[in-house]
Amino acid sequence: MDRYDLKLKGYVGGWDFNLDDVDEVLKKKSDSPVNVLIDSLGGSLSTALSISSSFAEHGNVHVHFVGMNASAATIASMGAKEITIDRSAMYLVHKCSNIVFKFGQLNADSMQTLIEELQKMKNDLDKLDYNVAGLYARRCKKEPEALMQLMTTGGWLTAEDAKEWGFVDEITDYMGETAPMMTQALASEMLGAGIPLPNVPFKAESNGLESLIEMARNFIGYFMSSRKTESNTKTPVTMNIECNNVTTAMGVDALESNNGTVTLTEAQVLALESAMTEMQNQLTTANESIASLESEVAALKASPADDTTDVVADGSSHETTAADTFYDTVASARKLFELV
C-alpha cells in the first residue's frame, strides 16, 4: 500500500502541485494524519504560502522530501507538523526572483521610468524575502538574519545540512527512494530559473527530442500557473517576445509581456499542448520503427551472407537493404528533432 496520501511533484502551482488538490485531500482526512511526498524545484510563491497555511491549519501533516527540492517547494512544507528527508535528497533555499524583460533603445526619460519600475519591483521582492526568511526562521528556531544570509548565499544543502539548519526533523532511509539524477531537461529548467546545478550524476538519455518535449511541457505548466507580483505602475513595460517554435504552434506572431508577465489564453495553451502531443506521437512511432529495424539488422548480421556473383560497377543502383532503411529512418528522426 502506498504510504503517501498526496504526492506533490513538478512546478509549484502547476497541475501536479496545486492548492486545490491539497485542500481536497486535507478535507477528506481532516481527523487523521496526512502523509505528503514532495519532489519539486519550486515555482509560485503565492501557491507555496497558501499550501503551507493549509498544512498548518490541518495540524497533522507529515512532509517527506525526496529528489531535489528548492525554492517554493521548501516554503510549502513549512506548515507541516513533521518534515523528514531521504538521505539522498537535496535541499535549496534562495532569495525570491521575478522575470524581467526589456529590449530596445531608450532615451533618458524612458530609462528613468524603467529604473523606477525596477526599483518598485526590487522593493516588493525585499518584502517577500523578509517574509520568507521569517517563515524559515520560525521553523529552524533561528534569527531571521541568519536565514536571510543563507538565502543570499544560496547553494545546495545535503540532507544532513538541512537537518542541522532545522528545516527538517529527521533523515530517513526509506526503501525504494532512489538518489536524484540530472537530465538535460531538468538542467535547462534549473538554469532558466536561476537555480544552481547540484553535484549529482547525469542520466543517460536516448535522444534530445524527449528532452525538448519535457521542457515544452514545463513551459506550459510555468505560464499556466505563474502568479507574479502585480505592479501599480501607471506606465507598464510592454514588449513582444519572439519564440518561433512556440508561437507557430499557437498560431500567433509573438507573445506580449507586461512587466515581466506573459499571459496565455486557454486556446493558446491547448494549441501548444496539442503540438507537444503530436511531437510525442511522432517520437513514439519513430522509436518503434527504429527498434524494429535494429532487430532486423541484428538478425541479418547473425545470418550467413548469400553467395553472389553480381558486381555493381558504379554504385549508381543497388537493392535497398534493411540497413539502408534503418539509417534513412534515423536521419529522418534527426531532421525532425532539428526542425522542432
Side-chain angles (χ1 to χ4, degrees):
M1 179 180 296
D2 196 329
R3 61 178 172 272
Y4 299 114
D5 302 298
L6 187 62
K7 292 184 178 181
L8 301 178
K9 299 188 176 186
Y11 185 85
V12 178
W15 69 271
D16 49 357
F17 199 142
N18 63 82
L19 180 61
D20 290 340
D21 290 345
V22 170
D23 285 343
E24 181 179 357
V25 172
L26 295 181
K27 183 177 180 181
K28 290 180 179 178
K29 299 178 69 67
S30 59
D31 297 325
S32 58
V34 176
N35 296 312
V36 180
L37 176 76
I38 294 184
D39 182 2
S40 166
L41 290 175
S44 166
L45 173 61
S46 174
T47 300
L49 291 172
S50 296
I51 290 177
S52 176
S53 295
S54 292
F55 286 167
E57 183 177 354
H58 182 279
N60 196 5
V61 175
H62 166 216
V63 166
H64 180 62
F65 283 110
V66 298
M68 290 178 287
N69 296 273
S71 187
T74 66
I75 295 171
S77 72
M78 290 295 102
K81 179 180 180 180
E82 180 185 12
I83 304 176
T84 59
I85 188 171
D86 191 74
R87 189 170 298 279
S88 64
M90 306 289 286
Y91 197 98
L92 173 69
V93 299
H94 62 80
K95 299 185 73 173
C96 300
S97 62
N98 202 349
I99 296 177
V100 177
F101 288 118
K102 186 62 182 179
F103 297 102
Q105 190 171 359
L106 304 179
N107 59 28
D109 295 335
S110 298
M111 193 172 295
Q112 182 59 42
T113 299
L114 177 60
I115 291 172
E116 292 171 359
E117 292 167 351
L118 291 176
Q119 184 61 53
K120 182 183 183 305
M121 186 181 297
K122 177 186 178 301
N123 293 340
D124 289 338
L125 289 175
D126 285 339
K127 294 176 182 178
L128 293 175
D129 286 334
Y130 283 117
N131 182 54
V132 172
L135 187 66
Y136 285 145
R138 288 190 290 275
R139 182 83 198 190
C140 297
K141 296 180 174 57
K142 299 181 183 298
E143 293 299 321
E145 290 74 15
L147 274 301
M148 180 64 76
Q149 182 59 48
L150 178 63
M151 292 164 60
T152 302
T153 303
W156 286 91
L157 304 178
T158 64
E160 289 79 6
D161 294 331
K163 184 176 186 299
E164 182 177 348
W165 270 94
F167 292 111
V168 302
D169 304 307
E170 183 183 354
I171 299 173
T172 66
D173 290 291
Y174 287 156
M175 296 296 293
E177 308 296 10
T178 58
M181 297 284 287
M182 183 63 64
T183 65
Q184 296 174 7
L186 184 59
S188 297
E189 181 183 357
M190 293 172 66
L191 292 174
I195 300 176
L197 298 181
N199 185 24
V200 298
F202 267 79
K203 179 181 179 181
E205 298 179 275
S206 58
N207 62 61
L209 186 55
E210 291 174 337
S211 299
L212 181 63
I213 292 173
E214 180 61 26
M215 284 187 283
R217 294 196 184 280
N218 289 332
F219 174 88
I220 295 172
Y222 173 82
F223 283 115
M224 284 187 66
S225 59
S226 179
R227 296 294 184 269
K228 299 301 180 182
T229 303
E230 295 183 356
S231 173
N232 293 324
T233 306
K234 293 183 179 180
T235 307
V237 180
T238 301
M239 60 160 292
N240 289 334
I241 306 172
E242 294 184 1
C243 305
N244 293 333
N245 292 327
V246 174
T247 54
T248 298
M250 294 190 298
V252 298
D253 295 328
L255 298 175
E256 184 178 283
S257 170
N258 292 305
N259 290 323
T261 300
V262 176
T263 301
L264 299 184
T265 65
E266 181 179 353
Q268 289 172 337
V269 172
L270 292 176
L272 190 55
E273 176 65 19
S274 177
M276 296 304 103
T277 300
E278 178 62 24
M279 289 172 58
Q280 183 66 65
N281 291 338
Q282 293 177 8
L283 174 63
T284 300
T285 300
N287 285 339
E288 291 174 351
S289 298
I290 291 173
S292 175
L293 290 170
E294 285 178 336
S295 299
E296 293 182 18
V297 171
L300 288 172
K301 288 183 178 179
S303 62
D306 295 333
D307 294 331
T308 179
T309 57
D310 296 337
V311 177
V312 178
D314 56 8
S316 60
S317 64
H318 63 277
E319 183 179 355
T320 301
T321 66
D324 293 331
T325 304
F326 169 72
Y327 292 122
D328 289 342
T329 302
V330 171
S332 298
R334 185 177 297 278
K335 288 181 179 179
L336 173 64
F337 167 69
E338 291 174 349
L339 288 173
V340 174

